[in-house]
Amino acid sequence: MWRRHKANRPEKDSIFPLKIDMLEDLLKKQFENNPDLKFSRYVINNKKVAVFFLDYQIEIDKLQQSLLQPLLNIDENKTLTNDTLLDELPLNSGSTSQALKSILEKLIIGEVFIYIENENSIVSYSILLKESRSLEKAETESLVLGPKISFTESLAKNMNVIRWRIKSTDLVFEEIKIGHLSPRDVRLVYLKSIANEVDINTMRQRLEELDVDEIEDTIVLKQYLEDSQTNLFPQFDETELPDRFTYNITRGKIGVLVENSPTAFIAPATLFSFLESTEDLYMRWQAGSFLRIMRFLAMVFSILITPTYVAAVTYQYAIIPTQLLVSIGQSRAAVPFLPIFEALLLEFLLELLREAGARLPTKVGQTMGIVGGIVIGQAAVDAGLTSNILIIVVAMSALSSFTTPNYLFGTTIRIIRFPLIVLAGVLGLFGIAFGLCWLIIHLLRLTSLGRPYLAPIYPLQLKDFNKVFFRTPFNHSSRRAKTYRPKSIIRFNKKDAKQKRDIDE
């Protein structure tokens, strides 16, 4: 016997019982005679039966073999009812519906309906044709070491990959539906024995209370849920790498997956989360620490070097060594613009090249970025629009911003440079100091899922520095970061992780 599901409880607004002709007219009216709606009639055991579905949503081979053939071959001596269908058909996803709204919702997500005339409900089976690409190499988060696969648009595949990496009964995938016009499956992912209960409840509440027509992608959902939607800084960390996702889950954070999106996001996040890369884990701890410190310094360098050049050349000549000052003067002798306009022009041209390279096909985009930068840079110098030294400064600033593993955070860093350049051109070093003070105060007030954005610097957690600014050997990383307040702070017993003597010693 193939009985898997019992009939559901009666629903409100039931449209049954009714004649098959009336049901067909009702459906065609709802879909405005859409040719994709397939409606077939049969006579089985002296009863009229209708089978209908949306053609493009259904796996046709499975429909023929697992539903239609068994349906047409039901024993003639059996009375045909909904219970008979649920018993005899070799599918395990059968359910019943009575309300038109419920039928339409199931129809558009790939369910096939079987209606026996004058029955009080209708039976449906999920035979959805799932189109998805296979697991492929990550594109936006490239790694030299470590796993290369990325998430796909298939929610089932993404959850499967996470299960491969976290083989624990504590792993939870909470199902939440978001969207009225186009409902989409969302999964709240966490380890129930580690993740902070307040963070789980906060994220669950934000997801359940989100009242929108549709969610286009994970990145869009992330912006709806962030603590401040008008803020320039990303407050949740997005990733396409399953290993980065699971690493953060095991540290006590919360993840969110969205149907038809190859990206997931992680919360809460801090400013320093966007400078971390899982590749740091696959290197020796000295090399991993060096790269983390380098990225942090590169972020500061990218923000400050161009504004500092503008301030020094415009007002504070005294901070420039004499020989370098002479070289800068000679380089700018033919430039008719003030340093502020010169810097803004070059930064703007650089952003245009970067955007053009990103929108063009890969090979053409790479050529455009390299050749365009050289040609335009040289032409700008020859035309007297800018100086050689500023081109070097702007190029160093751009290279520094590209070291950030997170694309959105790198974009934020590049945007911050523009107001700082303006302040530097108007007020000199005092303008830069004012801009930095405002930026720091702003970051101190910023939160991610209610957690401080500048942790572990504010509030100060010295014991968490080895999890943010540098790496320690794995046998010394026995504790999780207090910043995220996990239920269990201990990862393993430090004494048991010490090196043991060889058996022959």
Side-chain angles (χ1 to χ4, degrees):
M1 303 292 283
W2 288 96
R3 190 176 184 86
R4 303 287 185 179
H5 291 266
K6 298 291 184 181
N8 296 343
R9 293 179 180 179
E11 298 177 356
K12 295 180 179 180
D13 304 320
S14 175
I15 61 172
F16 301 105
L18 77 167
K19 297 292 184 180
I20 285 180
D21 291 337
M22 296 176 61
L23 176 61
E24 184 177 10
D25 292 340
L26 185 61
L27 290 171
K28 287 184 176 180
K29 182 179 179 182
Q30 291 292 327
F31 284 92
E32 298 183 353
N33 294 317
N34 191 324
D36 293 316
L37 177 64
K38 304 300 180 183
F39 195 99
S40 303
R41 301 162 182 260
Y42 304 92
V43 176
I44 303 173
N45 296 357
N46 298 320
K47 287 196 174 184
K48 294 181 180 179
V49 178
V51 177
F52 59 91
F53 55 88
L54 291 179
D55 191 25
Y56 60 88
Q57 289 281 73
I58 298 301
E59 191 175 340
I60 299 299
D61 291 340
K62 187 176 180 181
L63 172 68
Q64 294 288 343
Q65 297 173 9
S66 301
L67 192 144
L68 290 181
Q69 288 183 8
L71 175 65
L72 297 175
N73 293 324
I74 288 179
D75 190 344
E76 296 179 357
N77 297 320
K78 289 189 175 182
T79 303
L80 192 63
T81 63
N82 287 344
D83 288 337
T84 306
L85 295 178
L86 292 171
D87 280 340
E88 297 295 326
L89 297 185
L91 292 167
N92 61 359
S93 57
S95 62
T96 59
S97 305
Q98 289 107 11
L100 179 61
K101 181 180 179 182
S102 175
I103 294 171
L104 296 176
E105 288 176 351
K106 291 180 179 181
L107 195 61
I108 61 178
I109 62 171
E111 295 206 7
V112 177
F113 286 83
I114 306 173
Y115 178 57
I116 303 169
E117 191 169 63
N118 293 325
E119 281 284 316
N120 291 322
S121 62
I122 187 169
V123 177
S124 65
Y125 291 92
S126 178
I127 312 181
L128 174 64
L129 176 62
K130 297 181 179 180
E131 297 286 356
S132 64
R133 59 188 173 94
S134 59
L135 297 174
E136 298 174 354
K137 185 177 179 180
E139 293 291 336
T140 58
E141 295 179 78
S142 57
L143 297 175
V144 178
L145 302 175
K148 303 296 190 296
I149 62 171
S150 65
F151 287 126
T152 72
E153 287 77 10
S154 170
L155 183 60
K157 282 186 179 179
N158 293 341
M159 291 192 294
N160 195 13
V161 171
I162 294 171
R163 283 286 185 192
W164 289 348
R165 299 188 61 87
I166 305 179
K167 296 179 174 66
S168 171
T169 56
D170 281 348
L171 183 61
V172 178
F173 291 95
E174 283 192 26
E175 180 181 3
I176 299 173
K177 290 274 190 180
I178 295 180
H180 302 299
L181 183 64
S182 177
R184 186 167 293 194
D185 283 337
V186 175
R187 293 292 188 275
L188 181 61
V189 188
Y190 57 90
L191 285 168
K192 60 184 179 183
S193 62
I194 298 175
N196 185 281
E197 198 67 36
V198 175
D199 292 345
I200 296 171
N201 292 334
T202 302
M203 181 61 76
R204 184 189 296 118
Q205 179 183 358
R206 292 185 186 183
L207 288 168
E208 291 177 345
E209 293 183 354
L210 185 59
D211 187 12
V212 293
D213 283 343
E214 59 180 340
I215 294 295
E216 292 80 1
D217 190 78
T218 306
I219 307 299
V220 176
L221 176 62
K222 180 174 78 78
Q223 295 178 58
Y224 277 116
L225 302 177
E226 288 177 334
D227 294 32
S228 174
Q229 296 185 22
T230 58
N231 200 284
L232 178 62
F233 286 87
Q235 293 140 58
F236 297 154
D237 189 10
E238 71 284 341
T239 182
E240 63 173 354
L241 297 173
D243 65 320
R244 180 179 174 87
F245 184 86
T246 55
Y247 169 78
N248 283 281
I249 294 298
T250 57
R251 265 58 183 177
K253 294 188 182 183
I254 300 166
V256 175
L257 300 170
V258 179
E259 178 190 8
N260 295 334
S261 175
T263 309
F265 71 80
I266 305 155
T270 67
L271 175 74
F272 310 104
S273 301
F274 301 98
L275 302 175
E276 296 177 8
S277 171
T278 48
E279 195 171 31
D280 301 343
L281 302 174
Y282 308 132
M283 297 182 175
R284 300 292 298 174
W285 67 272
Q286 298 92 335
S289 298
F290 170 76
L291 290 177
R292 285 191 183 180
I293 294 170
M294 185 193 70
R295 291 191 202 104
F296 180 76
L297 295 177
M299 177 189 70
V300 177
F301 188 80
S302 176
I303 292 173
L304 293 180
I305 184 171
T306 307
T308 302
Y309 170 86
V310 172
V313 173
T314 307
Y315 298 106
Q316 281 82 19
Y317 306 103
I319 67 173
I320 305 175
T322 304
Q323 292 182 345
L324 181 58
L325 184 59
V326 171
S327 178
I328 292 174
Q330 293 174 348
S331 177
R332 295 202 70 258
V335 179
F337 303 116
L338 292 173
I340 180 176
F341 297 116
E342 183 187 3
L344 289 174
L345 174 64
L346 265 187
E347 290 281 359
F348 182 67
L349 286 175
L350 186 68
E351 290 301 313
L352 285 180
L353 284 172
R354 186 189 65 82
E355 188 66 16
R359 299 291 166 256
L360 291 171
T362 305
K363 294 182 179 179
V364 180
Q366 291 174 351
T367 305
M368 176 68 183
I370 298 171
V371 177
I374 295 173
V375 172
I376 293 177
Q378 186 61 45
V381 173
D382 292 342
L385 297 177
T386 186
S387 62
N388 284 319
I389 293 178
L390 183 57
I391 287 181
I392 296 173
V393 169
V394 171
M396 292 171 64
S397 178
L399 285 174
S400 299
S401 68
F402 293 146
T403 61
T404 306
N406 186 284
Y407 176 79
L408 293 179
F409 189 73
T411 303
T412 299
I413 291 173
R414 291 193 292 274
I415 293 173
I416 289 173
R417 282 204 300 267
F418 285 92
L420 284 178
I421 289 171
V422 174
L423 288 171
V426 175
L427 300 173
L429 293 178
F430 296 104
I432 297 176
F434 174 80
L436 287 178
C437 288
W438 183 90
L439 183 63
I440 292 171
I441 292 172
H442 174 71
L443 292 174
L444 287 171
R445 297 179 60 189
L446 194 59
T447 59
S448 172
L449 209 65
R451 306 296 184 193
Y453 197 64
L454 284 185
I457 292 180
Y458 172 79
L460 188 63
Q461 289 284 355
L462 293 175
K463 291 184 178 180
D464 286 353
F465 275 36
N466 65 337
K467 301 170 183 63
V468 174
F469 298 107
F470 59 91
R471 255 199 60 208
T472 52
F474 286 121
N475 59 346
H476 292 283
S477 303
S478 60
R479 301 172 69 87
R480 297 183 177 90
K482 289 184 178 180
T483 299
Y484 307 114
R485 302 180 185 177
K487 288 181 182 176
S488 175
I489 198 74
I490 305 297
R491 292 181 59 227
F492 56 83
N493 191 318
K494 193 173 181 180
K495 293 180 180 179
D496 294 340
K498 288 184 178 180
Q499 187 176 6
K500 306 297 189 299
R501 290 179 178 272
D502 292 338
I503 195 168
D504 58 347
E505 291 187 32

